[in-house]
Amino acid sequence: MIITKKWLLLIFLLSGYAGMAQPPAHIPLMNDTWKLIAQRTYKKNAEFKMVPAFPARLEALQNKAVELPGYMIPINADLNHREFMLAVVPMDQCPYCGQGDIPSMVEVKMMREVGYTDKPVRIRGKLMLNKTGDYRSEVFLLQAEQVK
C-alpha cells in the first residue's frame, strides 16, 4: 500500500511538470485581412529578381484603412514604441513550430507612442504593400492607431 502511494505521488508530480513544459497558448487572431496577407507569393520581375505578389483582394485595400488584431513584436528595446512588428502569434511562441510556414508579420508605424504589451492589441492604419523586393517589410500599416 505504501509503495502504491509513493508511485501515485511520483506520477502526479511528473505529470504536473510535463504540463508546465507545454508552449503557452495564444488567442487565434486571424481575420480576413490577415488571411489575404498570408496568401502572398513571390514571382520574378523583369530583372529576374524575386518580388512579392499579393492577391487582388489585398491590392484593392492598398492605401485604405484596415484593422488588424495581433501581438506586438518590438523592433527596439524601449518601453514605448512608435514602430514595431505586428504578428498573429506572440513573441514567446515559436514562429517556426506548428503547421504551415512562418506566420505573416506587418510593420506598424504609429501616429503616437504606445506602451509594449504581450497581450493582443488591435491596430488600425493605412495599408501599404511593398512590391519592390528590397530589404524592407512587404506589408505596412501607416498612420496607425491602437483601437481600444
Side-chain angles (χ1 to χ4, degrees):
M1 185 73 168
I2 294 175
I3 295 174
T4 307
K5 287 181 182 179
K6 286 181 181 179
W7 279 108
L8 287 174
L9 179 61
L10 181 63
I11 291 170
F12 177 73
L13 290 173
L14 290 176
S15 65
Y17 178 74
M20 291 173 29
Q22 300 300 316
H26 68 275
I27 300 167
L29 299 175
M30 290 294 275
N31 66 7
D32 289 340
T33 306
W34 272 122
K35 289 175 185 172
L36 289 173
I37 292 169
Q39 291 176 16
R40 171 203 70 233
T41 58
Y42 293 91
K43 65 179 182 179
K44 284 185 184 175
N45 66 8
E47 293 85 38
F48 300 101
K49 182 178 181 180
M50 295 301 287
V51 296
F54 301 101
R57 287 183 46 218
L58 185 61
E59 287 197 26
L61 297 175
Q62 176 88 309
N63 290 317
K64 295 189 175 145
V66 298
E67 191 172 302
L68 288 175
Y71 294 91
M72 293 175 73
I73 310 293
I75 296 172
N76 301 313
D78 293 323
L79 294 176
N80 296 312
H81 302 274
R82 283 189 83 125
E83 297 182 14
F84 56 89
M85 300 301 288
L86 188 69
V88 293
V89 295
M91 188 166 52
D92 61 355
Q93 176 98 11
C94 172
Y96 306 102
C97 302
Q99 298 178 2
D101 61 4
I102 299 169
S104 301
M105 284 199 266
V106 171
E107 188 169 339
V108 176
K109 303 211 182 262
M110 300 291 288
M111 291 179 49
R112 60 184 74 78
E113 285 186 341
V114 294
Y116 171 76
T117 180
D118 60 352
K119 306 288 186 254
V121 295
R122 285 185 129 354
I123 305 294
R124 181 182 300 127
K126 182 171 66 167
L127 183 78
M128 294 296 294
L129 302 174
N130 177 12
K131 300 179 191 177
T132 64
D134 61 12
Y135 295 109
R136 297 177 299 149
S137 295
E138 297 167 347
V139 182
F140 291 88
L141 275 187
L142 304 176
Q143 301 168 357
E145 294 182 309
Q146 187 171 356
V147 178
K148 298 291 178 177

